[in-house]
Amino acid sequence: MANPEKAAAVAELKEMFSSSDAAVLTEYRGLTVAQLKELRRSLGENAEYAVVKNTLTAIAAKELGIDAFDGQLAGPSAIAFISGDPVEAAKSLRDFAKANPQLVVKGGYLEGKALSDTEIKQLADLESREVLLAKVAGAAQAALSQAAALFQAPLSKTVRTAEALRAKVEEQDA
């Protein structure tokens, strides 16, 4: 790789892989420039959708020890480099692919693990991080409420028993 432009492109790809939490490889054959612009906009701020050269991407991935894209870098390829919540980006890609069947999700890479297109679809079906955290917080709050009720039960039972005894004593004295 004697060409300095190609070396710079590989370095840039390596930086993009290193700075992202996940990456999703797609084939965009048949999409217009306007559709690609719409896809980039739908991915939001936590993902960068970049058209890549297959050979240079293979070199960059190999140098970083990423084997998730082995054998998949063929045809017009683009990668969504995701920093942040991968679920939201996967949902955006899934929704865009439903509206534009020309977009093909080939595979991905998340936390050192290769993902198939099926696993990316499963990731898209997950609820967002915020929703999952809210559910955990709700479950914890419910458990605490149950515990508080459980701790109050003996006390209230004691109070009711004492009240019943007091009423019985008053009855007998009268």
Side-chain angles (χ1 to χ4, degrees), residues 16 39 59 78 93 138:
M16 292 171 90
L39 174 58
I59 292 169
L93 286 168

mmCIF file of all heavy atoms in Angstrom, residues 16 39 59 78 93 138:
data_model
loop_
_atom_site.group_PDB
_atom_site.id
_atom_site.type_symbol
_atom_site.label_atom_id
_atom_site.label_comp_id
_atom_site.label_asym_id
_atom_site.label_seq_id
_atom_site.Cartn_x
_atom_site.Cartn_y
_atom_site.Cartn_z
ATOM 1 N N MET A 16 -12.283 5.386 12.835
ATOM 2 C CA MET A 16 -13.737 5.291 12.921
ATOM 3 C C MET A 16 -14.151 4.001 13.641
ATOM 4 O O MET A 16 -15.072 4.013 14.457
ATOM 5 C CB MET A 16 -14.356 5.379 11.524
ATOM 6 C CG MET A 16 -14.199 6.751 10.892
ATOM 7 S SD MET A 16 -14.703 6.789 9.170
ATOM 8 C CE MET A 16 -16.424 7.207 9.364
ATOM 9 N N LEU A 39 -31.259 8.548 4.996
ATOM 10 C CA LEU A 39 -30.772 7.510 5.909
ATOM 11 C C LEU A 39 -29.821 8.106 6.941
ATOM 12 O O LEU A 39 -29.930 7.821 8.132
ATOM 13 C CB LEU A 39 -30.089 6.389 5.129
ATOM 14 C CG LEU A 39 -29.403 5.301 5.968
ATOM 15 C CD1 LEU A 39 -30.384 4.631 6.914
ATOM 16 C CD2 LEU A 39 -28.755 4.278 5.060
ATOM 17 N N ILE A 59 -8.591 -4.107 4.985
ATOM 18 C CA ILE A 59 -7.257 -3.895 5.558
ATOM 19 C C ILE A 59 -7.367 -3.279 6.947
ATOM 20 O O ILE A 59 -6.723 -3.739 7.899
ATOM 21 C CB ILE A 59 -6.396 -3.012 4.613
ATOM 22 C CG1 ILE A 59 -6.083 -3.767 3.320
ATOM 23 C CG2 ILE A 59 -5.120 -2.568 5.310
ATOM 24 C CD1 ILE A 59 -5.477 -2.893 2.228
ATOM 25 N N ALA A 78 -21.361 0.295 2.577
ATOM 26 C CA ALA A 78 -21.333 1.448 3.472
ATOM 27 C C ALA A 78 -21.461 0.908 4.891
ATOM 28 O O ALA A 78 -22.077 -0.134 5.116
ATOM 29 C CB ALA A 78 -22.469 2.403 3.164
ATOM 30 N N LEU A 93 -32.010 1.726 10.938
ATOM 31 C CA LEU A 93 -31.654 0.959 9.734
ATOM 32 C C LEU A 93 -32.786 0.022 9.331
ATOM 33 O O LEU A 93 -33.116 -0.105 8.150
ATOM 34 C CB LEU A 93 -30.367 0.165 9.973
ATOM 35 C CG LEU A 93 -29.081 0.981 9.985
ATOM 36 C CD1 LEU A 93 -27.928 0.157 10.523
ATOM 37 C CD2 LEU A 93 -28.757 1.504 8.589
ATOM 38 N N GLY A 138 -38.904 0.718 37.809
ATOM 39 C CA GLY A 138 -40.286 0.432 38.219
ATOM 40 C C GLY A 138 -40.379 -0.866 38.998
ATOM 41 O O GLY A 138 -41.085 -0.959 40.004
#
